[in-house]
Amino acid sequence: MKTFFSYFRHPLLKLPILFGLVAGVLCFVYFLVLYATGVVPLGNVRVPDFGFQIIMMVTAVWYYRKYIGKGFLHLWEALTICYVVNTVGALLTAWLIYFFVKYIDPTVFTRYLEDMRQLLISTKGRLVDTVGQAEYLKALKNIDQITPETLVGDEISKKTVLAVLPVLIISLLFRKQDYSLYNSTPEAPNRSKSPKS
């Protein structure tokens, strides 16, 4: 068991987990701000909270490159850091929201379902023309099958999909190695500048 927990002491996991926890807390604070202003804080209205995930990914990669990698960062390290930050942040946010709507204020969830139902009803004509009557009725019926537990999976899957492009861009921007495709080994020190004995 000790060896298992020792993996989490490695900076490549420890650091992004910490930044991911911060991201999760910030996303949940955004949820609470929406809730306090009277907005139903579920659904697409929460998409801007992904900005906190991006900020924490950038900060984690920058910090790792500067203080752990001493100015260098491999692409695989950057990808790992970003995905760990994103996954931990999404998990924490999802479970905090779940506990909130399950135990603190369940009306948030019922209002969310009612808003979804009203949206489908108000756009019925257009939806029936587009997808057909059977699919429209199926979508309407599916709303009744949504549970607070569904929010956890939705949050994680949504943020995993949203993260693909930002993670790649961040990793490529911060990647810095002491060798390249044309020079496959780190540069040897310049002997001509070393002091003569």
Side-chain angles (χ1 to χ4, degrees):
M1 200 65 158
K2 279 185 178 180
T3 53
F4 174 75
F5 286 111
S6 68
Y7 288 115
F8 292 95
R9 285 196 282 275
H10 191 282
L12 195 57
L13 270 182
K14 181 181 173 182
L15 185 74
I17 286 173
L18 292 173
F19 278 92
L21 292 173
V22 173
V25 169
L26 289 173
C27 290
F28 185 64
V29 168
Y30 180 72
F31 170 89
L32 293 176
V33 168
L34 291 174
Y35 173 76
T37 57
V39 176
V40 178
L42 296 171
N44 291 337
V45 74
R46 286 193 46 254
V47 169
D49 79 348
F50 188 67
F52 296 120
Q53 301 276 105
I54 293 174
I55 291 167
M56 287 298 111
M57 284 189 269
V58 169
T59 309
V61 168
W62 170 83
Y63 185 93
Y64 188 91
R65 186 176 88 170
K66 184 167 183 176
Y67 295 105
I68 311 296
K70 305 298 180 195
F72 294 104
L73 181 75
H74 292 280
L75 182 63
W76 67 269
E77 288 174 316
L79 290 169
T80 303
I81 291 166
C82 287
Y83 275 115
V84 171
V85 169
N86 188 61
T87 304
V88 170
L91 276 168
L92 182 61
T93 307
W95 283 107
L96 287 173
I97 290 171
Y98 168 77
F99 285 119
F100 187 89
V101 301
K102 184 83 173 177
Y103 302 109
I104 296 173
D105 190 355
T107 61
V108 171
F109 185 68
T110 53
R111 282 173 60 203
Y112 168 62
L113 294 182
E114 191 53 41
D115 286 353
M116 285 178 67
R117 193 174 286 106
Q118 288 302 321
L119 181 65
L120 280 178
I121 291 168
S122 66
T123 57
K124 180 180 178 180
R126 192 173 50 195
L127 286 171
V128 169
D129 290 343
T130 308
V131 297
Q133 181 75 17
E135 285 299 315
Y136 170 77
L137 292 173
K138 186 180 175 184
L140 204 58
K141 191 177 179 182
N142 285 343
I143 292 174
D144 297 324
Q145 296 172 356
I146 298 172
T147 62
E149 290 80 10
T150 311
L151 297 175
V152 176
D154 285 351
E155 180 74 11
I156 295 164
S157 59
K158 179 184 74 178
K159 286 192 173 166
T160 301
V161 171
L162 282 174
V164 173
L165 191 59
V167 164
L168 192 57
I169 292 169
I170 292 165
S171 300
L172 288 170
L173 287 175
F174 281 89
R175 167 185 167 273
K176 188 175 180 188
Q177 300 172 179
D178 53 356
Y179 56 91
S180 67
L181 182 66
Y182 303 107
N183 180 16
S184 59
T185 56
E187 286 183 19
N190 191 341
R191 306 243 181 239
S192 62
K193 291 184 180 177
S194 59
K196 294 181 180 178
S197 52

